[in-house]
Each structure stands twice: as C-alpha cells, then as structure tokens.
C-alpha cells in the first residue's frame, strides 16, 4: 500500500508578497496586472477572497468587489526562488517528489510510514518545517492514493490538514462533487450532472459497462479514482512533459525584428536542450506575457517529432506573428516543445494533458489560456 501526501501552498504569490512586505500581512492583496490595462488576478490573499475575488478574474472586477484590495505586480523570479526552497524541504523528507506546479507536489511517504511513523505525524512535521524555514503555509492532504491526497489538500484550506485513513477512501470521496476528480473537467461534469450524477459516490456506483461507454479507454482509471483506489505512482521525472526557454525583458518588446530575434534564440536554446535530453517533440508552444501581465499560451502540433531549430523557430514565429497588433508589446516570451516521441498519447485525459502542457519551466500557470 502507498502513502501519499499532496502539498499545496496557500495563496502562493500573495503569501510571498506578505512575507516580503509585512505591511501587507492581514490585508487583502491582489497579485496581478493593473485594472486600467485589462489586467487579470493571478491570485488573491485569503483576506481578499472573502469578497469573492479569485484567480483569473479581471482585476477590474476584483477591485470592484474588494475596493480596499492592494494590487501588487507579480515577481516571478522571487516566487521561483521560494518554490525551490519548499521543494528542497519536500525532498529532505523523501526522494519521491513529483512537482505539479511551482506551489504543489505529490510526495510518496510510504517508506517513512513503513518505518513506523504515523501519516498524521509526517504531515504535521512537514507543515511545521515548511513554515519554520520558508515562512509559507502549506495545506496538506494524506491518503493511500494521489486522488485522495490531492482532494484532501484542497478541502480544508487555508492551513489545511486532511488525513484519510486506509479503507476510508471511498467514503471520504462519496459526498464530494464530481468535478473535484482530476480529469473531470467542466464539460464532463455537466454531462454527468445531466445524467443525475452529482457526487463522486454516485459516479462510483455506476456499473463498469456504463464507465466504458462514458469514458472509453479511461473507464477503469476514472472508476478507480472515483473509488479512491487509483494506483498511480509518484513520478519524479514527470516534470519533463515539456522543454522550454523563456525570458522576461527589462523593456517590453514590440518591434517585429527584435521579436523574431528572441524567438530564434529561444528556439535554438530549446532545440539544444531537446538534443541533450534525447527528446523529440511534436507540439510547439509559445508563452506570452503582455505589458499588463496578461499571460497566455498558443500551441501548434507539427506533423512529425523534432529536435531541430528550424521547424521549432518557424512554428513559434507563426504563432507569435498571429498575435502582433499595433501597439501591443511583450514582457515575456517563452518557446517550448512538448508531446514527446515516447509518450503514450492516450495515457492522460485531454484536460489533464492541457494542464500539464501549460506548465513551463518556471512552473507558472498561465493567468489566462485561450487557444
Ligand atoms: N496562478 C496564476 N493564474 C491562475 C492560477 C494560479 O497565475 N489562474 C498562480 C498564482 C498562484 C499560484 O499560481 O499563487 C498557485 O496556484 P494555486 O491554484 O495553488 O492558488 P494559490 O496558491 O494562490 O491559492 P490556494 O492554493 O490557497 O487556493
Ligand atoms: Mg496553492
């Protein structure tokens, strides 16, 4: 039996801002772009969330809902630094750490539990260490599978701690809404709700034949998850879902020629890294951050796998060219390649794949994603 922790920092960007600027402690903090520039909320402190502010909301709406909110521009390098500190602490506890983004990871703590430690004690110790060393608060879920651990970490936020005992998985999941299951996005949830299936328990009760009809290849996987029995291991290497290179500029760039140069440099860097890692990918991704911090990604899938500069550069440039508008300038440009040769394309549900692809090397999630 496995014992898995899912750990996710509370209001990550906002918490780092409060840590670095004590004047912000206890205040509603809105991290993101300025409202007058059509900025978006990256995250909000819990003090702001009581006003109904959340990630990806237009800053204008956020300020309307929370007029006392203090707007802070994101400082991605600082978040990356703090993320590194936290991940290092995770790795002191176990070598089996799978980061999912800058502020969350799965930890396999089976060895510690088998050596006699109680899962609750391991989790409490981890929370205390993260706070003592980094000053950040982490919410933790503990269970015998990833599904239960991940849902658990989110249930009791902020400063959450949920431990689900072996044998209690199905009972724990049963009353929760189906959209809490990894891989069940809004569209699938809507379809299930139409069929009268609102909770994970109601989903788990369906016969296997129904799952096969509804989810095809994913049937047993979704069913196992709904029952809290999924057997997914913590993968240390899953971070290499994509290889990318990005730069933030001191002055926002807008000229076609300078943009072309950047794309070329990024493409060369990525091709080089791919070659070193012995990987070839089919999907070329472009990440853009505008002057107002709006961040989004565009991608194109090539007819073949590659690690060569030229096709990556051409694809990335075509994506960027489509985004050029008079007066539009770019604060950050990233070029990435994903969808590697040896990956089984059917392994992950599409929604999950898109989520993972949206993670660039800095682990940041796009503030806004459109296709
Ligand atoms: N983020 C972003 N845009 C989004 C969602 C998140 O830029 N649409 C960034 C800001 C968050 C960080 O990623 O601080 C981590 O995302 P989480 O979903 O874990 O959100 P938080 O850590 O801010 O809050 P919590 O986990 O307490 O809900
Ligand atoms: Mg978080």
């Amino acid at each position: 039996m496995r014992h898995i922790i899912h750990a996710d920092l509370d209001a990550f960007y906002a918490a780092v801002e409060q840590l670095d600027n004590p004047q912000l402690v206890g205040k509603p903090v809105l991290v993101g772009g300025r409202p007058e520039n059509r900025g978006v909320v990256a995250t909000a402190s819990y003090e702001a969330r009581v006003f109904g502010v959340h990630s990806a909301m237009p800053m204008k709406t956020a300020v309307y809902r929370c007029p006392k909110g203090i707007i802070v521009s994101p400082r991605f390098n600082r978040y990356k630094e703090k993320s590194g500190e936290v991940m290092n602490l995770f790795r002191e506890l176990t070598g089996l750490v799978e980061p999912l983004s800058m502020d969350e990871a799965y930890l396999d703590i089976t060895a510690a539990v088998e050596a006699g430690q109680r899962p609750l004690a391991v989790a409490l110790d981890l929370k205390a260490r993260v706070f003592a060393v980094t000053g950040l608060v982490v919410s933790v879920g503990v269970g015998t599978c990833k599904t239960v651990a991940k849902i658990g970490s989110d249930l009791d936020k902020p400063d959450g701690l949920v431990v689900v005992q072996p044998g209690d998985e199905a009972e724990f999941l049963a009353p929760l809404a189906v959209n809490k299951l990894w891989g069940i996005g809004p569209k699938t949830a809507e379809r299930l709700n139409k069929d009268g299936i609102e909770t994970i328990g109601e989903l788990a009760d369906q016969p296997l034949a129904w799952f096969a009809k509804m989810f095809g290849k994913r049937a047993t996987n979704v069913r196992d998850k709904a029952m809290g029995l999924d057997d997914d291991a913590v993968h240390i290497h899953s971070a290499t879902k994509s290889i990318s290179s990005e730069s933030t500029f001191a002055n926002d760039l807008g000229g076609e020629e300078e943009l072309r140069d950047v794309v070329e440099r990024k493409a060369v860097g990525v091709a080089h890294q791919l070659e070193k890692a012995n990987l070839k990918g089919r999907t070329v991704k472009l990440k853009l951050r505008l002057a107002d911090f709006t961040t989004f990604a565009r991608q194109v899938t090539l007819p073949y796998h590659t690690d060569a500069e030229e096709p990556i550069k051409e694809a990335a440039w075509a994506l960027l060219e489509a985004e050029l508008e008079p007066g539009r300038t770019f604060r950050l440009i990233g070029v990435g390649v994903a969808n590697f040769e040896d990956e089984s394309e059917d392994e992950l549900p599409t929604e999950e794949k898109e989520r993972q692809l949206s993670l660039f090397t800095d682990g940041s999630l796009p503030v806004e994603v459109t296709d």
Side-chain angles (χ1 to χ4, degrees), residues 7-13 43 46 49 101 103-104 137 157:
D8 186 309
L9 296 166
D10 293 339
F12 179 44
Y13 293 2
T43 196
Y46 277 82
R49 291 189 200 188
S101 73
D103 88 323
E104 63 174 313
V137 179
K157 264 180 174 288

Side-chain angles (χ1 to χ4, degrees), residues 71-143:
I71 302 175
V72 181
S73 292
R75 295 178 299 144
F76 298 101
N77 288 339
R78 179 67 178 137
Y79 308 147
K80 204 168 157 182
E81 196 173 84
K82 292 306 280 184
S83 167
E85 287 176 20
V86 173
M87 296 294 165
N88 283 342
L89 286 178
F90 291 171
R91 290 195 183 96
E92 279 176 19
L93 175 61
T94 166
L96 292 173
V97 175
E98 178 181 347
L100 295 175
S101 73
M102 255 205 280
D103 88 323
E104 63 174 313
Y106 287 115
L107 288 70
D108 187 317
I109 57 158
T110 310
V113 174
E114 282 177 354
Q117 292 191 58
R118 290 171 57 219
L120 172 65
V122 176
L124 281 170
D125 191 49
L126 183 70
K127 281 171 67 72
R129 275 188 65 72
V130 168
F131 186 68
V133 177
T134 70
L136 295 171
V137 179
V138 66
S139 288
V140 168
V142 194

Side-chain angles (χ1 to χ4, degrees), residues 6 8-16 31-32 40-46 49 54-57 74 76 79 101-104 137 139 150 153-154 157-159 289 293 295 355 363-369:
H6 179 264
D8 186 309
L9 296 166
D10 293 339
F12 179 44
Y13 293 2
V16 174
V31 180
V40 175
V41 177
T43 196
S45 67
Y46 277 82
R49 291 189 200 188
H54 57 75
S55 292
M57 172 181 274
F76 298 101
Y79 308 147
S101 73
M102 255 205 280
D103 88 323
E104 63 174 313
V137 179
S139 288
K150 178 145 171 89
S153 76
D154 195 47
K157 264 180 174 288
D159 199 9
R289 182 168 296 137
F293 286 100
T295 307
R355 194 186 126 88
S364 70
L365 292 169
V367 172
E368 191 187 313
V369 186

Side-chain angles (χ1 to χ4, degrees), residues 187-205:
K187 275 192 197 141
T188 311
E190 204 178 302
R191 228 168 58 205
L192 293 173
N193 293 347
K194 263 196 201 130
D195 283 358
I197 299 167
E198 307 262 348
T199 65
I200 299 178
E202 286 160 356
L203 178 63
D205 280 344

